[in-house]
Amino acid sequence: MDSKSTPPRTQDGETPKKKRGALLVYERMRDEIMWMQIEPGSALDEVALASKYEVSRTPIREALLLLANEGFVQFLQNRTTIVAPLTLHNIPALLDTFLLLARGLLRSVAMNGTARPDDLSDFIETYRHGLAVNDTRGAFEAQLGLYKHLAALSENRFLEKYFLEAQDASVRLKQLYFFPDLTPLEQEKAVNRLRAVVDAVTQADPEASDVAVVQSIMFEAGIVQRRLGPRFGHKMSIVSPTTVTEQPS
């Protein structure tokens, strides 16, 4: 057989073109799921996805497996694939994990002394402006970009990898329960909390960095917790009004 007619294959047997197709689908679907362009609980049809992304069903299956490994999709027993729903019982574990990883990450960056104010100030300004003009996605992406930049400065590939995974796992939660309808005072507090993180880490102060990132995340967690609680049901009176007796004329 002419070797020129046979496409080269990777170690797992896939041609480079097919591999790129699977990874491309994975990245696009991951982004759409994270930003809820595909809603939690939605069924995912392989044929429809193959048509949408203009690939065969094989790259679709590979992309779905990658997404399932990260918890973004679920395979049901009836062979249906769905976008993983948001489950409230996982929130405390997610917040604990994110807090622990964030504390370790910020301490590492501060101890390395590699964070520079000029590299981080644009993230804060974009975050502030996005909140002010109700561009929540723009604000959120600035926050994500800031932490991604700091994660790289940790020079610890394990902390970086798992911190970023935990951060991505929180994106849908924060879109639903943190960013919507922030009051002006809450917006100001959110910006100040994030700015305190930047100030501490650029001053190469591990203790202050630890405190600042805990306060920032706990501030967000407090708003999420409040939004998950009842809004008015516990305040509404359900006692029937007193019957008014007509007075004789």
Side-chain angles (χ1 to χ4, degrees):
M1 179 182 296
D2 185 355
S3 60
K4 293 183 180 180
S5 64
T6 304
R9 292 181 175 270
T10 60
Q11 291 182 350
D12 59 4
E14 296 289 351
T15 64
K17 182 177 180 180
K18 184 181 292 185
K19 195 68 173 180
R20 286 197 301 271
L23 291 175
L24 180 62
V25 171
Y26 156 75
E27 290 170 357
R28 289 179 61 183
M29 287 190 65
R30 190 177 191 274
D31 188 70
E32 290 175 353
I33 291 171
M34 279 179 54
W35 293 102
M36 293 196 299
Q37 294 167 346
I38 308 176
E39 295 185 357
S42 298
L44 298 171
D45 179 75
E46 291 183 7
V47 175
L49 291 172
S51 175
K52 175 181 178 179
Y53 297 114
E54 299 181 338
V55 295
S56 68
R57 292 178 65 179
T58 298
I60 296 296
R61 294 191 189 103
E62 293 174 352
L64 292 175
L65 285 170
L66 292 171
L67 291 166
N69 287 337
E70 294 187 17
F72 285 108
V73 306
Q74 293 179 355
F75 300 119
L76 305 183
Q77 291 183 348
N78 63 356
R79 297 186 178 182
T80 300
T81 305
I82 64 170
V83 175
L86 290 173
T87 52
L88 299 183
H89 72 275
N90 285 333
I91 292 176
L94 172 61
L95 289 174
D96 270 333
T97 302
F98 188 54
L99 263 170
L100 289 170
L101 291 168
R103 294 176 66 187
L105 184 86
L106 268 293
R107 278 184 172 273
S108 295
V109 176
M111 292 172 68
N112 288 340
T114 52
R116 301 287 179 263
D118 291 345
D119 297 332
L120 304 178
S121 58
D122 285 349
F123 291 113
I124 299 297
E125 177 56 28
T126 304
Y127 183 67
R128 184 203 63 76
H129 178 74
L131 291 179
V133 300
N134 201 32
D135 177 13
T136 55
R137 176 158 180 173
F140 199 177
E141 286 181 334
Q143 185 189 54
L144 296 173
L146 170 64
Y147 278 120
K148 185 175 182 180
H149 181 86
L150 292 173
L153 295 179
S154 72
E155 298 179 5
N156 183 319
R157 66 186 183 91
F158 297 104
L159 265 178
E160 180 179 2
K161 171 182 170 59
Y162 294 114
F163 170 80
L164 292 177
E165 285 187 9
Q167 178 175 252
D168 288 350
S170 72
V171 169
R172 294 188 298 169
L173 173 69
K174 289 173 66 175
Q175 283 183 89
L176 288 172
Y177 300 115
F178 175 71
F179 281 101
D181 304 320
L182 282 175
T183 67
L185 180 59
E186 289 169 341
Q187 291 178 7
E188 182 181 357
K189 287 183 177 180
V191 173
N192 288 340
R193 294 288 193 279
L194 202 59
R195 184 176 285 117
V197 172
V198 168
D199 289 344
V201 77
T202 55
Q203 292 166 12
D205 187 335
E207 297 300 327
S209 299
D210 191 347
V211 171
V213 77
V214 168
Q215 289 179 342
S216 180
I217 294 173
M218 290 304 295
F219 168 72
E220 295 179 353
I223 291 180
V224 169
Q225 184 178 27
R226 190 187 71 210
R227 291 225 167 94
L228 287 171
R231 292 175 297 169
F232 55 81
H234 58 302
K235 298 178 181 178
M236 183 183 295
S237 173
I238 58 174
V239 178
S240 300
T242 304
T243 303
V244 178
T245 305
E246 292 186 5
Q247 298 296 323
S249 57

